[in-house]
Amino acid sequence: MYRVLIADDEMIERTVLFRTLDKNLKGQCEIFQAENGREALEIYEREQIQILILDIEMPGINGIEAAEQIRKKDKECSIIFLTAFDEFSYAKKAITVRALDYLLKPYDEQELMLVMEEAMRQADACDGEGLEERLKAQVSGADARTVREAGQDVADLGHEADQGHKASDARGKGVENGRICADLGRQSQEEGEESGNVRMDKVTQLIFCYIQENYMYDISMQDLARAMNYSEAYFCKLFKQCFSKNFTSYLTEYRVKEAKRMLKQPTVNVKDVGRAVGYMDSNYFARVFKRITGQTPTEYRMCIFQRE
């Protein structure tokens, strides 16, 4: 059972969040509550919390300060921040905390649950369950490319080195994209609002291209923020402005969309589809797929074949 802590000084918001998690994750999580950062630190120490959802703005020790203290002791726990747009200048202090994601108030329930699914996956990996699969995801393999190209007469099962080279190239493009974004930022300051709109369009396109080229790998918000030369907090705000949802939710939905396309190929194994879109753990893939579509991958495939 996962040990989750909610820290928010607003009792109503804290209660609503507790009930949302309890409804969606009943039996999977033991959920604790704190009304400020100091209490959050005490509960974290006492209960060995694995996943923290911290409101940034709390009296006394705020969410960022609490997270900084926790991160000094624990490099593996998942930290999720609750915040609002006007708090992002404050949130810049969280760069070294390595937050899993930032949920902007008012948060969407599905976005929250997709972030929680990722946090639970990371908790499993830290406990040693699926750690080998996670390392494999970082390396990537030919299976992913093979499945993505199913139905297109391209079925080469080798060339891991070539695939790794492609991944390196894609990440290299991300770094180059970061330089372009920096230039676009200076340009927008010089040329005013119209240029700013052009810059946003360019940034949106660059982010989309990065995800399109790297979604099959074990990428994180930090990876993309670093590639774009932005702080995590600012990048989270920028991403929300570009795509109207947070990074984890968008990446997950993109992967599921690709998985749905691959599942139409009757000769491709469901587990291979999961690996091809970045999920080495087939159970996790099925859980996330069902949270978005309401069906497991196998059920989804059966429905497609029955209609044909």
Side-chain angles (χ1 to χ4, degrees), residues 134-152:
R134 191 179 184 191
L135 293 173
K136 288 178 182 177
Q138 292 173 341
V139 175
S140 182
D143 287 345
R145 187 181 66 171
T146 301
V147 177
R148 289 196 306 276
E149 295 174 347
Q152 300 175 26

Side-chain angles (χ1 to χ4, degrees), residues 2 24-25 28 51 80 100 110-124 248 252 283-284 286-291:
Y2 305 99
N24 285 276
L25 301 172
Q28 298 183 61
I51 302 169
I80 302 163
L100 172 59
Q110 177 162 292
E111 285 188 347
L112 167 66
M113 296 317 304
L114 290 176
V115 174
M116 284 299 298
E117 292 283 4
E118 175 62 16
M120 292 187 293
R121 182 189 73 85
Q122 292 189 10
D124 287 341
T248 301
T252 303
N283 292 327
Y284 176 62
R287 197 166 67 225
V288 169
F289 191 95
K290 186 170 184 178
R291 186 168 295 283

Side-chain angles (χ1 to χ4, degrees), residues 92-246:
K92 289 179 183 178
K93 297 178 182 177
I95 294 173
T96 60
V97 175
R98 292 190 299 109
L100 172 59
D101 216 324
Y102 295 75
L103 294 175
L104 304 180
K105 298 180 179 179
Y107 54 84
D108 176 80
E109 183 172 322
Q110 177 162 292
E111 285 188 347
L112 167 66
M113 296 317 304
L114 290 176
V115 174
M116 284 299 298
E117 292 283 4
E118 175 62 16
M120 292 187 293
R121 182 189 73 85
Q122 292 189 10
D124 287 341
C126 292
D127 287 340
E129 300 175 20
L131 182 57
E132 181 179 352
E133 288 82 356
R134 191 179 184 191
L135 293 173
K136 288 178 182 177
Q138 292 173 341
V139 175
S140 182
D143 287 345
R145 187 181 66 171
T146 301
V147 177
R148 289 196 306 276
E149 295 174 347
Q152 300 175 26
D153 297 323
V154 182
D156 184 359
L157 293 174
H159 308 311
E160 279 194 355
D162 176 62
Q163 185 67 11
H165 179 68
K166 288 172 67 179
S168 176
D169 286 347
R171 288 186 172 87
K173 290 176 185 176
V175 173
E176 180 61 27
N177 289 347
R179 298 191 187 101
I180 296 171
C181 288
D183 292 340
L184 288 169
R186 286 190 292 271
Q187 178 182 329
S188 67
Q189 291 178 354
E190 294 170 0
E191 299 181 14
E193 183 176 349
E194 182 177 353
S195 178
N197 293 333
V198 172
R199 171 184 173 275
M200 283 298 294
D201 290 342
K202 291 286 188 181
V203 170
T204 301
Q205 183 180 1
L206 292 171
I207 293 174
F208 175 77
C209 288
Y210 184 97
I211 291 175
Q212 187 179 44
E213 293 167 348
N214 293 279
Y215 73 91
M216 68 290 296
Y217 305 110
D218 191 14
I219 60 173
S220 67
M221 178 183 67
Q222 285 83 0
D223 294 329
L224 186 44
R226 194 179 306 116
M228 304 290 285
N229 286 339
Y230 290 128
S231 71
E232 294 171 23
Y234 178 75
F235 175 75
C236 177
K237 174 181 178 180
L238 185 65
F239 194 96
K240 187 81 171 184
Q241 290 174 330
C242 291
F243 297 97
S244 300
K245 58 188 62 180
N246 67 348

Side-chain angles (χ1 to χ4, degrees), residues 143-152 154-155 157 258-277 285 297-298 301 305:
D143 287 345
R145 187 181 66 171
T146 301
V147 177
R148 289 196 306 276
E149 295 174 347
Q152 300 175 26
V154 182
L157 293 174
E258 291 298 308
K260 288 166 71 175
R261 179 178 62 80
M262 297 175 199
L263 286 167
K264 295 177 181 178
Q265 302 296 329
T267 59
V268 179
N269 186 278
V270 170
K271 289 185 179 180
D272 290 338
V273 171
R275 286 193 288 267
V277 297
F285 168 56
T298 301
R301 167 175 273 176
F305 296 162

